[in-house]
Amino acid sequence: MTKHHAKETPRAAAILARFLSSEAAGGLVLMGAALAALIVANSPLSQTYFEALRSVWLGMSIEHWVNDGLMAIFFLMVGLEIKREVLAGGLSTWGQRALPGFGALGGMLVPALIYVAINWGNPQTLSGWAIPAATDIAFALGVLSLLGKRVPTSLKVFLAALAIIDDLGAVVIIAFFYTSGLSMPMLLASLATLLVLIAMNRLGVKRLFPYLLFGGVLWFFVLQSGVHATLAGVAVALCIPMGRPEEEARSPLLFLEEKLHLWVAFMVVPIFGFANAGVSLSGISLANLVDPVPLGVALGLLLGKQIGVFLLAALAIRLGLAKLPQGSSWLQLYGVALLCGIGFTMSLFIGNLAFAGSAHLIDEVKVGVLIGSILAAIGGVLVLRRGGVVR
């Protein structure tokens, strides 16, 4: 919809720098929100916590509003990041896309294969194959921020680009594999609204209000259609114009992304984390940890991510399609591959879709995600601390 930019624009570069810092700080807030949810869910306040999530407001439960409504803003942000990076950022050329692209591909395939291998023969749990396939960029960058100058900026950019491609893969997976009970009238209404948004882009409409107005309409139609409502956020983002490099001061996309960053990092994602990380551990024993779902999710994140990301990234480098990030070592690249096993936000989100209606399996997903993500974070930190300080 907009011609590719040959070089990263100054404002896009500044947004990327703020993105890395705000996502890192937001990741720390997300950790606090997840910990708070775990504490509350296993305290005398647990009944109040779960009843509040189930309480209904305007026809939907609070949990539903968080997962389908508030997270649509998160997916809007994801869409803006993807479009900006492809048009004017670190993914604007095929050379820049090669290393994070190969890493993301391996990081989606291998975890899914590990989960499938563990859950083979069980149709009910097999549908969760995509749960360990996503990386939580806020959480991962938050952990990286704790290491300071031990990690070169080039590796942080690599992780951010990989996670953005990873998010795009998750969006495609949700659209094709976690959609059911389609309503054709609502799908047609969604398509008509999307065509209006595309037409506005093609006609050069630069004001944000019409895009956000029709975006709200699109969200409602998609919600009613059976396709997951959060995908409307991505669709709206891809229709918002970025403009030419010389017009970046008036770019609707860059302006909206700038305004949304802090809200998403410090409100939307932490609220989602608090609403979804709470799991009562009272009925969970050590034996439950080796049940197919938590085991498949935990091993998919811990082993699948590091194997898939590192091997495919190394393959791209060995084939001459990409280079090792500037100022980094193979050990540091492996450490970042380990951190990719932090799959908190998107993994919990996909888990809710895969096992909708089964509170027991969703709780098992939460346990697997928490264990896999915590172990991946610890492993990544230990490896990166041995990687040496970058001067």
Side-chain angles (χ1 to χ4, degrees), residues 159-197:
L159 176 59
L162 185 147
I164 288 170
I165 296 172
D166 200 83
D167 283 344
L168 178 59
V171 168
V172 173
I173 287 170
I174 291 168
F176 283 95
F177 297 100
Y178 294 107
T179 293
S180 60
L182 295 178
S183 166
M184 192 54 64
M186 288 299 172
L187 270 180
L188 291 174
S190 301
L191 178 60
T193 309
L194 181 59
L195 289 175
V196 171
L197 286 162

CSV table of all heavy atoms in Angstrom, one decimal, residues 159-197:
chain,number,residue,atom,x,y,z
A,159,LEU,N,16.8,-9.7,18.3
A,159,LEU,CA,15.7,-10.3,19.0
A,159,LEU,C,14.4,-9.6,18.7
A,159,LEU,O,13.4,-10.3,18.6
A,159,LEU,CB,16.1,-10.2,20.5
A,159,LEU,CG,15.0,-10.7,21.5
A,159,LEU,CD1,14.6,-12.2,21.2
A,159,LEU,CD2,15.4,-10.5,22.9
A,160,ALA,N,14.4,-8.3,18.7
A,160,ALA,CA,13.2,-7.5,18.4
A,160,ALA,C,12.6,-7.9,17.0
A,160,ALA,O,11.4,-8.2,16.8
A,160,ALA,CB,13.5,-6.0,18.5
A,161,ALA,N,13.5,-8.0,16.0
A,161,ALA,CA,13.1,-8.3,14.6
A,161,ALA,C,12.6,-9.7,14.6
A,161,ALA,O,11.5,-10.0,13.9
A,161,ALA,CB,14.3,-8.2,13.7
A,162,LEU,N,13.3,-10.7,15.2
A,162,LEU,CA,12.8,-12.1,15.3
A,162,LEU,C,11.4,-12.2,15.9
A,162,LEU,O,10.6,-12.9,15.4
A,162,LEU,CB,13.8,-12.9,16.0
A,162,LEU,CG,13.6,-14.4,16.1
A,162,LEU,CD1,14.9,-15.2,16.1
A,162,LEU,CD2,12.7,-14.9,17.3
A,163,ALA,N,11.2,-11.5,17.0
A,163,ALA,CA,10.0,-11.5,17.7
A,163,ALA,C,8.8,-10.9,16.9
A,163,ALA,O,7.7,-11.4,16.9
A,163,ALA,CB,10.1,-10.8,19.1
A,164,ILE,N,9.2,-9.9,16.1
A,164,ILE,CA,8.1,-9.3,15.3
A,164,ILE,C,7.7,-10.2,14.2
A,164,ILE,O,6.5,-10.4,13.9
A,164,ILE,CB,8.7,-7.9,14.7
A,164,ILE,CG1,8.7,-6.9,15.8
A,164,ILE,CG2,7.8,-7.5,13.5
A,164,ILE,CD1,9.4,-5.6,15.4
A,165,ILE,N,8.7,-10.9,13.5
A,165,ILE,CA,8.4,-11.9,12.5
A,165,ILE,C,7.6,-13.1,13.2
A,165,ILE,O,6.7,-13.6,12.6
A,165,ILE,CB,9.7,-12.5,11.9
A,165,ILE,CG1,10.4,-11.3,11.1
A,165,ILE,CG2,9.3,-13.6,10.9
A,165,ILE,CD1,11.7,-11.7,10.5
A,166,ASP,N,8.0,-13.4,14.4
A,166,ASP,CA,7.4,-14.5,15.2
A,166,ASP,C,5.9,-14.1,15.4
A,166,ASP,O,5.0,-14.9,15.3
A,166,ASP,CB,8.1,-14.6,16.5
A,166,ASP,CG,7.8,-15.9,17.2
A,166,ASP,OD1,8.5,-16.9,16.9
A,166,ASP,OD2,7.0,-15.9,18.1
A,167,ASP,N,5.6,-12.8,15.8
A,167,ASP,CA,4.3,-12.4,16.0
A,167,ASP,C,3.4,-12.5,14.7
A,167,ASP,O,2.3,-12.8,14.8
A,167,ASP,CB,4.3,-10.9,16.5
A,167,ASP,CG,4.7,-10.8,18.0
A,167,ASP,OD1,4.6,-11.8,18.7
A,167,ASP,OD2,5.0,-9.7,18.4
A,168,LEU,N,4.1,-12.1,13.6
A,168,LEU,CA,3.4,-12.2,12.3
A,168,LEU,C,3.0,-13.7,12.1
A,168,LEU,O,1.9,-14.0,11.6
A,168,LEU,CB,4.3,-11.7,11.2
A,168,LEU,CG,3.7,-11.8,9.7
A,168,LEU,CD1,2.4,-11.1,9.6
A,168,LEU,CD2,4.7,-11.3,8.7
A,169,GLY,N,3.9,-14.6,12.4
A,169,GLY,CA,3.6,-16.0,12.2
A,169,GLY,C,2.4,-16.4,13.1
A,169,GLY,O,1.5,-17.2,12.7
A,170,ALA,N,2.4,-15.9,14.4
A,170,ALA,CA,1.3,-16.2,15.3
A,170,ALA,C,0.0,-15.7,14.8
A,170,ALA,O,-1.0,-16.3,14.9
A,170,ALA,CB,1.7,-15.6,16.7
A,171,VAL,N,0.0,-14.5,14.2
A,171,VAL,CA,-1.2,-13.9,13.6
A,171,VAL,C,-1.8,-14.8,12.5
A,171,VAL,O,-3.0,-15.1,12.5
A,171,VAL,CB,-0.9,-12.5,13.1
A,171,VAL,CG1,-2.1,-12.0,12.2
A,171,VAL,CG2,-0.7,-11.5,14.2
A,172,VAL,N,-0.9,-15.3,11.7
A,172,VAL,CA,-1.3,-16.2,10.6
A,172,VAL,C,-1.9,-17.5,11.2
A,172,VAL,O,-2.9,-18.0,10.7
A,172,VAL,CB,-0.1,-16.5,9.6
A,172,VAL,CG1,-0.5,-17.6,8.6
A,172,VAL,CG2,0.3,-15.2,8.9
A,173,ILE,N,-1.2,-18.1,12.2
A,173,ILE,CA,-1.6,-19.3,12.8
A,173,ILE,C,-3.0,-19.1,13.4
A,173,ILE,O,-3.9,-20.0,13.3
A,173,ILE,CB,-0.6,-19.7,13.9
A,173,ILE,CG1,0.6,-20.3,13.3
A,173,ILE,CG2,-1.2,-20.8,14.8
A,173,ILE,CD1,1.8,-20.5,14.2
A,174,ILE,N,-3.2,-18.0,14.2
A,174,ILE,CA,-4.5,-17.7,14.8
A,174,ILE,C,-5.6,-17.6,13.7
A,174,ILE,O,-6.7,-18.2,13.8
A,174,ILE,CB,-4.5,-16.4,15.6
A,174,ILE,CG1,-3.6,-16.7,16.8
A,174,ILE,CG2,-5.9,-16.0,16.0
A,174,ILE,CD1,-3.2,-15.4,17.6
A,175,ALA,N,-5.3,-16.9,12.6
A,175,ALA,CA,-6.3,-16.7,11.6
A,175,ALA,C,-6.7,-18.0,10.9
A,175,ALA,O,-7.9,-18.3,10.6
A,175,ALA,CB,-5.7,-15.8,10.5
A,176,PHE,N,-5.7,-19.0,10.7
A,176,PHE,CA,-6.0,-20.2,9.9
A,176,PHE,C,-6.4,-21.4,10.8
A,176,PHE,O,-7.1,-22.3,10.3
A,176,PHE,CB,-4.9,-20.5,9.0
A,176,PHE,CG,-4.8,-19.7,7.8
A,176,PHE,CD1,-3.9,-18.5,7.8
A,176,PHE,CD2,-5.5,-20.0,6.6
A,176,PHE,CE1,-3.8,-17.7,6.6
A,176,PHE,CE2,-5.4,-19.2,5.5
A,176,PHE,CZ,-4.6,-18.1,5.5
A,177,PHE,N,-5.9,-21.4,12.0
A,177,PHE,CA,-6.1,-22.7,12.8
A,177,PHE,C,-6.9,-22.5,14.1
A,177,PHE,O,-7.3,-23.5,14.6
A,177,PHE,CB,-4.7,-23.2,13.2
A,177,PHE,CG,-3.8,-23.6,12.1
A,177,PHE,CD1,-2.8,-22.8,11.6
A,177,PHE,CD2,-4.1,-24.8,11.4
A,177,PHE,CE1,-2.0,-23.2,10.5
A,177,PHE,CE2,-3.3,-25.2,10.4
A,177,PHE,CZ,-2.3,-24.4,9.9
A,178,TYR,N,-7.2,-21.3,14.5
A,178,TYR,CA,-8.0,-21.1,15.7
A,178,TYR,C,-9.2,-20.2,15.4
A,178,TYR,O,-9.6,-19.3,16.1
A,178,TYR,CB,-7.1,-20.5,16.8
A,178,TYR,CG,-6.1,-21.4,17.2
A,178,TYR,CD1,-4.7,-21.2,16.9
A,178,TYR,CD2,-6.4,-22.6,18.0
A,178,TYR,CE1,-3.7,-22.1,17.3
A,178,TYR,CE2,-5.4,-23.5,18.3
A,178,TYR,CZ,-4.1,-23.2,18.0
A,178,TYR,OH,-3.1,-24.1,18.4
A,179,THR,N,-9.9,-20.5,14.3
A,179,THR,CA,-11.1,-19.8,13.9
A,179,THR,C,-12.2,-20.9,13.7
A,179,THR,O,-11.9,-21.9,13.0
A,179,THR,CB,-10.9,-19.0,12.6
A,179,THR,OG1,-10.0,-18.0,12.8
A,179,THR,CG2,-12.2,-18.5,12.1
A,180,SER,N,-13.3,-20.7,14.3
A,180,SER,CA,-14.4,-21.7,14.1
A,180,SER,C,-15.8,-21.0,14.2
A,180,SER,O,-15.9,-19.9,14.7
A,180,SER,CB,-14.3,-22.8,15.3
A,180,SER,OG,-14.4,-22.1,16.5
A,181,GLY,N,-16.8,-21.8,13.8
A,181,GLY,CA,-18.2,-21.3,13.8
A,181,GLY,C,-18.3,-20.0,13.1
A,181,GLY,O,-18.9,-19.0,13.6
A,182,LEU,N,-17.9,-19.9,11.8
A,182,LEU,CA,-17.9,-18.7,11.0
A,182,LEU,C,-19.3,-18.3,10.7
A,182,LEU,O,-20.2,-19.1,10.3
A,182,LEU,CB,-17.1,-18.9,9.8
A,182,LEU,CG,-15.6,-19.1,9.9
A,182,LEU,CD1,-14.9,-19.3,8.6
A,182,LEU,CD2,-15.0,-18.0,10.7
A,183,SER,N,-19.6,-16.9,10.8
A,183,SER,CA,-20.8,-16.3,10.4
A,183,SER,C,-20.6,-15.6,9.0
A,183,SER,O,-19.9,-14.6,9.0
A,183,SER,CB,-21.3,-15.4,11.4
A,183,SER,OG,-22.3,-14.5,10.9
A,184,MET,N,-21.1,-16.1,8.0
A,184,MET,CA,-20.9,-15.5,6.7
A,184,MET,C,-21.3,-14.1,6.5
A,184,MET,O,-20.6,-13.3,6.0
A,184,MET,CB,-21.5,-16.4,5.6
A,184,MET,CG,-21.1,-16.1,4.2
A,184,MET,SD,-19.3,-16.1,4.0
A,184,MET,CE,-18.9,-17.8,4.3
A,185,PRO,N,-22.5,-13.7,7.1
A,185,PRO,CA,-22.9,-12.3,7.0
A,185,PRO,C,-21.9,-11.4,7.7
A,185,PRO,O,-21.6,-10.3,7.2
A,185,PRO,CB,-24.3,-12.3,7.7
A,185,PRO,CG,-24.8,-13.7,7.5
A,185,PRO,CD,-23.6,-14.5,7.6
A,186,MET,N,-21.5,-11.8,8.8
A,186,MET,CA,-20.5,-11.0,9.6
A,186,MET,C,-19.1,-10.9,8.9
A,186,MET,O,-18.4,-9.9,8.9
A,186,MET,CB,-20.4,-11.4,11.0
A,186,MET,CG,-21.6,-11.1,11.9
A,186,MET,SD,-21.9,-9.3,12.0
A,186,MET,CE,-23.5,-9.3,12.8
A,187,LEU,N,-18.8,-12.0,8.3
A,187,LEU,CA,-17.5,-12.1,7.5
A,187,LEU,C,-17.6,-11.1,6.3
A,187,LEU,O,-16.6,-10.4,6.0
A,187,LEU,CB,-17.2,-13.5,7.0
A,187,LEU,CG,-16.4,-14.4,7.9
A,187,LEU,CD1,-16.3,-15.8,7.2
A,187,LEU,CD2,-15.1,-13.8,8.2
A,188,LEU,N,-18.7,-11.1,5.6
A,188,LEU,CA,-18.9,-10.2,4.5
A,188,LEU,C,-18.9,-8.7,5.0
A,188,LEU,O,-18.3,-7.9,4.3
A,188,LEU,CB,-20.2,-10.5,3.8
A,188,LEU,CG,-20.2,-11.8,3.0
A,188,LEU,CD1,-21.6,-12.1,2.5
A,188,LEU,CD2,-19.2,-11.9,1.9
A,189,ALA,N,-19.5,-8.5,6.1
A,189,ALA,CA,-19.5,-7.1,6.7
A,189,ALA,C,-18.1,-6.7,7.0
A,189,ALA,O,-17.7,-5.6,6.8
A,189,ALA,CB,-20.4,-7.0,7.9
A,190,SER,N,-17.3,-7.7,7.6
A,190,SER,CA,-15.9,-7.4,7.9
A,190,SER,C,-15.1,-7.1,6.7
A,190,SER,O,-14.3,-6.1,6.6
A,190,SER,CB,-15.3,-8.6,8.6
A,190,SER,OG,-16.0,-9.0,9.8
A,191,LEU,N,-15.3,-7.9,5.6
A,191,LEU,CA,-14.6,-7.6,4.4
A,191,LEU,C,-15.0,-6.3,3.8
A,191,LEU,O,-14.1,-5.6,3.3
A,191,LEU,CB,-15.0,-8.7,3.4
A,191,LEU,CG,-14.3,-8.6,2.0
A,191,LEU,CD1,-12.8,-8.7,2.1
A,191,LEU,CD2,-14.8,-9.8,1.1
A,192,ALA,N,-16.3,-5.9,3.8
A,192,ALA,CA,-16.7,-4.6,3.3
A,192,ALA,C,-16.0,-3.5,4.1
A,192,ALA,O,-15.5,-2.5,3.5
A,192,ALA,CB,-18.2,-4.5,3.4
A,193,THR,N,-15.9,-3.6,5.4
A,193,THR,CA,-15.3,-2.6,6.2
A,193,THR,C,-13.8,-2.5,5.9
A,193,THR,O,-13.2,-1.4,5.8
A,193,THR,CB,-15.5,-2.9,7.7
A,193,THR,OG1,-16.9,-3.1,7.9
A,193,THR,CG2,-15.0,-1.7,8.6
A,194,LEU,N,-13.2,-3.7,5.7
A,194,LEU,CA,-11.8,-3.7,5.4
A,194,LEU,C,-11.5,-3.0,4.0
A,194,LEU,O,-10.5,-2.3,3.9
A,194,LEU,CB,-11.3,-5.1,5.4
A,194,LEU,CG,-9.8,-5.3,5.1
A,194,LEU,CD1,-8.9,-4.6,6.1
A,194,LEU,CD2,-9.4,-6.8,5.0
A,195,LEU,N,-12.4,-3.2,3.1
A,195,LEU,CA,-12.2,-2.6,1.8
A,195,LEU,C,-12.3,-1.1,1.9
A,195,LEU,O,-11.6,-0.3,1.2
A,195,LEU,CB,-13.3,-3.1,0.8
A,195,LEU,CG,-13.1,-4.6,0.4
A,195,LEU,CD1,-14.3,-5.0,-0.5
A,195,LEU,CD2,-11.8,-4.7,-0.4
A,196,VAL,N,-13.2,-0.6,2.8
A,196,VAL,CA,-13.3,0.9,3.0
A,196,VAL,C,-11.9,1.4,3.6
A,196,VAL,O,-11.4,2.4,3.1
A,196,VAL,CB,-14.4,1.2,4.0
A,196,VAL,CG1,-14.4,2.7,4.4
A,196,VAL,CG2,-15.8,0.9,3.4
A,197,LEU,N,-11.3,0.7,4.5
A,197,LEU,CA,-10.0,1.1,5.1
A,197,LEU,C,-8.9,1.1,4.0
A,197,LEU,O,-8.1,2.0,3.9
A,197,LEU,CB,-9.6,0.1,6.2
A,197,LEU,CG,-10.4,0.3,7.5
A,197,LEU,CD1,-10.3,-1.0,8.4
A,197,LEU,CD2,-9.9,1.5,8.3
